[in-house]
């Protein structure tokens, strides 16, 4: 499972539990064979031990252990064929300092400051009570220059592959969250088809982390939320965080949609909010460190 599927907490749980069970079974086996091993070690033993084979097995085992630790052949070649390696450009995992709780009518994501439990940023979303279907959701931060700094949250169903099953049908992430996916292309330089986009890619001084922004004297940044409701274009909400403004809470405001109009490309924000047919968010609140 760990080799063929993307890593998540469920697979880690299965790995740990069955690894422990295997160790227990090995221990029980060794205990059950106690008399056998005792007779082998006895000086009066008539059992022939293939010492060369045992030495060879130990050498191979030790070589594989070192190869795995050093990421050398053949371990490197084996790992390169795993799901995680083959789909590395598609997998999106928020910073481990982010904690999220997604419920039917609300969502909360909290960014903890590095090396402590101090809350530096929190996003609180309350969805429209009329919503009946599951939403696709992405939350991310951008610098003043418009560069994606960090993806705080993306719906788990969309986190591990470009091609996903949503509402019972096969589709692509760029059809659900086109604005976020366009920003992600600009950051990684990899388009939705897995091809290298030579016009995109992170700048050399990009930190890929909000850490330097989460300070009372940190740079300004923008928070974006993109929400896709079945049957409608995705809707984008945003707010600007400037620490020189001495306020702890900020409201997310409706900014536009992903609706493509003449002379625009897919992934651009359509700022004509009058044409937006759905308003999936009742309230979006940003709590930031001052």
């Amino acid at each position: 499972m760990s080799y063929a599927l993307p890593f998540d907490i469920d697979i880690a749980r299965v790995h740990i539990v069955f690894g422990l069970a295997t160790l227990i079974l090995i221990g029980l086996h060794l205990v059950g064979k106690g008399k056998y091993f005792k007779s082998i070690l006895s000086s009066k033993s008539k059992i022939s031990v293939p010492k060369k084979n045992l030495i060879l097995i130990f050498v191979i085992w030790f070589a594989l252990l070192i190869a795995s630790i050093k990421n050398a052949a053949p371990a490197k070649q084996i790992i390169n064929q795993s799901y995680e390696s083959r789909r590395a450009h598609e997998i999106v995992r928020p910073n481990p300092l982010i904690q999220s709780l997604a419920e039917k009518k609300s969502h909360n994501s909290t960014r903890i400051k590095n090396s402590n439990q101090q809350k530096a940023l929190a996003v609180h979303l309350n969805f429209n009570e009329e919503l009946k279907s599951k939403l696709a959701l992405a939350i991310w931060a951008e610098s003043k220059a418009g560069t994606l700094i960090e993806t705080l949250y993306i719906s788990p169903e969309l986190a591990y592959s470009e091609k996903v099953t949503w509402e019972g049908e096969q589709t692509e992430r760029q059809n659900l969250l086109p604005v976020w996916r366009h920003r992600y292309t600009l950051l990684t330089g990899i388009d939705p088809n897995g091809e290298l986009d030579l016009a995109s890619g992170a700048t050399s001084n990009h930190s890929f982390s909000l850490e330097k922004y989460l300070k009372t004297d940190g740079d300004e940044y923008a928070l974006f939320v993109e929400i896709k409701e079945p049957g409608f274009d995705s809707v984008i909400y945003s707010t600007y965080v400037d620490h020189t403004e001495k306020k702890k809470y900020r409201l997310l405001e409706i900014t536009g949609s992903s609706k493509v109009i003449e002379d625009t490309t897919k992934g651009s924000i359509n700022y004509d909010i009058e044409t937006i047919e759905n308003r999936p968010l009742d309230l979006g609140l940003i709590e930031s460190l001052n």
Side-chain angles (χ1 to χ4, degrees):
M1 291 174 67
S2 298
Y3 188 77
L5 299 173
F7 175 84
D8 63 23
I9 192 63
D10 294 330
I11 290 178
R13 190 183 302 114
V14 172
H15 179 76
I16 292 169
V17 170
F18 277 84
L20 179 60
T22 301
L23 289 175
I24 292 173
L25 289 173
I26 291 171
L28 293 173
H29 174 74
L30 293 176
V31 170
K33 292 287 186 177
K35 292 182 179 179
Y36 171 77
F37 291 117
K38 186 176 180 180
S39 64
I40 287 178
L41 297 173
S42 173
S43 59
K44 299 179 181 180
S45 174
K46 297 180 180 180
I47 301 176
S48 176
V49 181
K51 294 183 179 180
K52 290 183 178 180
N53 291 352
L54 289 175
I55 292 173
L56 180 60
I57 290 171
F58 177 78
V59 169
I60 293 174
W61 175 86
F62 187 75
L64 285 174
L65 176 63
I66 297 299
S68 300
I69 293 173
K70 299 293 185 181
N71 194 28
K76 183 177 181 180
Q77 285 72 18
I78 294 172
I79 295 301
N80 284 345
Q81 298 305 311
S82 68
Y83 186 100
E84 288 279 329
S85 296
R86 290 185 290 104
R87 302 290 185 90
H89 64 281
E90 300 179 36
I91 296 173
V92 181
R93 285 198 176 87
N95 191 299
L97 295 172
I98 294 174
Q99 302 168 356
S100 294
L101 176 63
E103 298 179 321
K104 186 175 181 180
K105 293 299 181 182
S106 65
H107 175 93
N108 292 280
S109 286
T110 302
R111 176 63 154 80
I112 306 299
K113 278 190 66 64
N114 191 21
S115 72
N116 63 47
Q117 291 300 309
Q118 182 183 6
K119 180 167 64 176
L121 175 70
V123 181
H124 310 283
L125 307 178
N126 291 328
F127 302 124
N128 192 316
E129 288 291 333
E130 297 178 0
L131 293 176
K132 302 298 181 183
S133 302
K134 193 171 186 178
L135 301 172
L137 173 66
I139 306 172
W140 72 94
E142 289 186 10
S143 67
K144 290 186 293 184
T147 302
L148 192 153
I149 305 168
E150 188 174 298
T151 297
L152 282 81
Y153 179 84
I154 185 170
S155 297
E157 299 89 345
L158 313 182
Y160 303 113
S161 178
E162 291 295 345
K163 297 185 184 300
V164 298
T165 300
W166 198 66
E167 290 291 299
E169 296 183 3
Q170 281 283 323
T171 186
E172 297 183 355
R173 287 193 297 204
Q174 62 175 330
N175 297 328
L176 300 175
L177 301 172
V179 175
W180 170 83
R181 188 59 185 86
H182 178 64
R183 301 295 210 273
Y184 190 65
T185 297
L186 295 175
L187 174 67
T188 63
I190 304 294
D191 71 13
N193 298 316
E195 302 294 331
L196 181 64
D197 187 341
L198 297 178
S200 303
T203 57
S204 58
N205 60 353
H206 195 284
S207 66
F208 300 98
S209 173
L210 264 172
E211 200 59 41
K212 72 175 185 178
Y213 295 85
L214 301 178
K215 303 175 181 177
T216 53
D217 59 347
D219 293 339
E220 305 99 286
Y221 59 94
L223 253 294
F224 285 85
V225 174
E226 183 173 12
I227 305 174
K228 168 69 174 179
E229 183 183 358
F232 299 95
D233 296 303
S234 65
V235 182
I236 291 83
Y237 299 83
S238 66
T239 191
Y240 197 68
V241 180
D242 181 355
H243 292 290
T244 61
E245 300 177 359
K246 299 299 182 182
K247 59 181 182 179
K248 188 174 182 180
Y249 299 98
R250 295 163 177 83
L251 289 175
L252 282 164
E253 297 181 356
I254 194 163
T255 305
S257 72
S258 63
K259 183 177 182 179
V260 177
I261 57 176
E262 189 178 354
D263 298 328
T264 61
T265 58
K266 188 172 185 177
S268 300
I269 298 179
N270 180 351
Y271 293 98
D272 185 1
I273 63 174
E274 298 299 325
T275 63
I276 297 176
E277 302 177 35
N278 60 319
R279 307 284 174 113
L281 199 62
D282 263 351
L283 176 67
L285 187 68
I286 306 298
E287 181 183 355
S288 66
L289 175 71
N290 279 308

